[in-house]
């Protein structure tokens, strides 16, 4: 095993065992290296790697700490990874969204508080009839974010948040090119909301599936007709 990987595994073991708990400060570099039987250089590289994936937090002049290890912190690295996706993988992201978002909508229908449901309704009502495409996309993102949060599952919420970015461009392009896409989005959002507010998880699941699958099918058809990637035609996100 490469020495840096060994160092990572040893620090990980300290965290998993509970020896280093969330928020705990790591011993001084020299002391920790000696204790783990590692060189200071390999330990330093391991700390750097673990800080990149938000397991450790290096504070200049203060020391190195274990992060909260909450899902939203650890899964933040997902956003870093998906930033490198290629346009021909957008469909794969949509496929994953089609699995996760209906599950979140069904869970929200069961456990979302009345207060949060009312706030979700306010998001729908805040979108003006003459809203621009940019406003519609922002509203769409907020709508789905609130449903994911309403599932009360922080891991699921973080995964959905991380997957939203790569599919945004497809939604923008669809709104610009497909007649009736904006009106259809409004109607589907209303149907999803009504199902959640009515505490009907199976219906919420079904409408959320229809909603995401619509974008996915449109993109499949578009890429098939154009014979090229989305990136060649889609406008920049700005």
């Amino acid at each position: 095993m490469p020495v840096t990987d060994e160092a990572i595994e040893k620090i990980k073991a300290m965290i998993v065992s509970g020896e280093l708990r969330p928020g705990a400060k790591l011993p001084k570099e020299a002391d920790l290296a000696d204790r783990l039987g590692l060189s200071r250089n390999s330990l330093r590289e391991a700390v750097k790697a673990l800080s990149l994936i938000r397991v450790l937090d290096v504070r200049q002049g203060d020391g190195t700490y274990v992060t909260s290890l909450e899902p939203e912190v650890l899964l933040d690295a997902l956003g870093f990874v998906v930033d490198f996706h290629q346009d021909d993988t957008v469909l794969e992201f949509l496929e994953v969204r089609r699995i996760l978002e209906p599950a979140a909508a069904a869970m929200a229908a069961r456990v979302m508080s009345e207060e949060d449901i009312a706030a979700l309704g306010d998001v729908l009502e805040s979108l003006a009839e003459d809203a621009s495409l940019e406003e519609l996309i922002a509203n769409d993102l907020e709508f789905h974010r609130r449903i994911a949060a309403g599932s009360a599952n922080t891991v699921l919420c973080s995964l959905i948040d991380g997957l939203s970015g790569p599919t945004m461009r497809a939604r923008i392009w669809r709104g610009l090119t497909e007649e009736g896409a904006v009106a259809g989005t409004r109607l589907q959002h209303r149907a999803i909301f009504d199902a959640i507010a009515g505490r009907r998880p199976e219906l919420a699941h079904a409408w959320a599936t229809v909603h995401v699958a619509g974008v996915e099918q449109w993109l499949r058809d578009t890429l098939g007709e154009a014979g090229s990637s989305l990136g060649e035609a889609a406008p920049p996100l700005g």
Side-chain angles (χ1 to χ4, degrees):
M1 180 184 293
V3 289
T4 300
D5 290 349
E6 180 186 2
I8 290 173
E9 286 299 318
K10 288 186 174 182
I11 296 173
K12 175 185 171 183
M14 293 178 71
I15 296 172
V16 172
S17 70
E19 186 176 352
L20 285 175
R21 295 188 175 278
K25 184 177 182 179
L26 269 65
K28 292 182 179 179
E29 182 182 271
D31 294 339
L32 185 58
D34 183 62
R35 177 178 170 183
L36 297 178
L38 301 167
S39 70
R40 294 180 66 173
N41 184 60
S42 63
L43 177 61
R44 198 173 296 125
E45 290 300 314
V47 168
K48 186 186 300 182
L50 289 170
S51 67
L52 284 175
I53 59 172
R54 306 290 300 278
V55 172
L56 298 179
D57 178 21
V58 180
R59 305 175 189 175
Q60 198 66 34
D62 185 13
T64 300
Y65 292 78
V66 180
T67 66
S68 67
L69 302 179
E70 292 292 329
E72 61 267 25
V73 173
L74 297 181
L75 289 173
D76 185 59
L78 176 65
F80 180 80
V81 173
V82 299
D83 282 343
F84 291 101
H85 80 283
Q86 300 298 311
D87 288 326
D88 58 2
T89 66
V90 173
L91 278 170
E92 294 180 8
F93 285 109
L94 282 167
E95 288 172 349
V96 176
R97 279 189 59 205
R98 179 163 46 81
I99 296 169
L100 298 182
E101 293 201 21
M107 293 167 70
R110 295 188 184 96
V111 303
M112 198 172 187
S113 70
E114 293 295 332
E115 182 180 0
D116 287 341
I117 289 176
L120 182 64
D122 290 341
V123 171
L124 289 182
E125 298 300 330
S126 68
L127 189 65
E129 287 297 325
D130 59 348
S132 66
L133 181 61
E134 289 75 15
E135 291 170 331
L136 179 72
I137 294 297
N139 187 271
D140 179 77
L141 289 171
E142 179 65 10
F143 180 76
H144 289 285
R145 187 194 68 77
R146 286 180 178 269
I147 292 175
S151 72
N153 186 307
T154 55
V155 174
L156 181 59
C157 183
S158 298
L159 285 170
I160 291 173
D161 281 348
L163 292 168
S164 293
T167 60
M168 187 191 303
R169 188 158 50 160
R171 282 176 277 176
I172 290 176
W173 189 234
R174 184 192 186 201
L176 287 171
T177 60
E178 184 180 43
E179 184 177 354
V182 172
T185 295
R186 287 177 179 271
L187 289 173
Q188 290 169 8
H189 279 187
R190 173 58 63 179
I192 295 169
F193 169 76
D194 288 345
I196 291 174
R199 303 297 184 185
R200 302 181 67 183
E202 291 184 1
L203 188 60
H205 188 285
W207 272 114
T209 301
V210 168
H211 183 56
V212 179
V215 182
E216 181 186 344
Q217 187 57 52
W218 169 84
L219 184 56
R220 288 184 187 280
D221 294 342
T222 300
L223 293 179
E225 292 171 2
S228 59
S229 71
L230 179 66
E232 294 173 1
L237 288 177

